[in-house]
Amino acid sequence: YGKQPAGKKFKDRVGMKMEKAGFMEAVNIDSVYVKANAIAYIWVDDPLVWSRGKTMTESIQIEGEIWTYISENFDMKGEYRRITQASPIDFLSMRMSVAADNRTLQLDNDARIRKILTDYDMMDCNPKKQPFTRCHVASMAERMKNGEFMNDEEGTQHRSFVGDCGWLAQTSDPNLAPYVSILGKCNSK
């Protein structure tokens, strides 16, 4: 992230400057700052600003003022793009748009999920409930112990798959988490 100082130092500086501008950091979400009916999300050097003004003109004005403040106080690579119902944006693997009421921000991971399924040739999969039993895990552990489980290239592909499945578990289906954990145990020989 080249131009930015070390992570914690930068985050502390952002927090101090945003607090000075009247924002409060969200309690459960790092790097999200809230002020009245506006949200500023600053992830390293990728900022996102959104507001719920009483009118579209008011929202644009609020966002412009926040964006100006951010760009004057931090070296950001991003550019101001207005999120609307008609023109959603992609931000950190999420599609963001505004609902028909023009007051609700919508998050959608559909494009990223489809890419993962396409990358692993799983778009036409027909999943069925089949538990990952202790026998499966024991069999995998035995094969790993004997060096039969994966070569280096397969190991790299496996780690990539586990990472993508971890993202899916965190963002769309928490039921995947136990399986990701089991698969993750196979990451090293």
Side-chain angles (χ1 to χ4, degrees), residues 5-16 25 30-31 33:
K8 180 167 177 18
K9 186 176 178 183
F10 178 71
K11 185 182 176 315
D12 290 348
R13 187 171 146 249
V14 168
M16 186 179 70
E25 186 170 14
D30 277 347
S31 304
Y33 302 91

Side-chain angles (χ1 to χ4, degrees), residues 135-153:
C135 293
H136 288 102
V137 176
S139 170
M140 285 171 45
E142 187 63 32
R143 288 178 61 207
M144 280 177 54
K145 189 171 144 185
N146 296 332
E148 304 167 4
F149 193 65
M150 291 181 246
N151 62 33
D152 288 342
E153 184 179 335

Side-chain angles (χ1 to χ4, degrees), residues 18 21 23 35 37-38 40 49-51 57-73 80:
M18 294 302 283
F23 282 85
K35 175 182 179 179
N37 52 358
V49 175
W50 183 71
S51 70
T57 305
E58 183 182 19
S59 291
I60 292 170
Q61 180 183 351
I62 292 168
E63 291 170 19
E65 289 169 4
I66 296 168
W67 186 262
T68 299
Y69 180 79
I70 290 171
S71 59
E72 286 175 352
N73 285 278
Y80 175 66

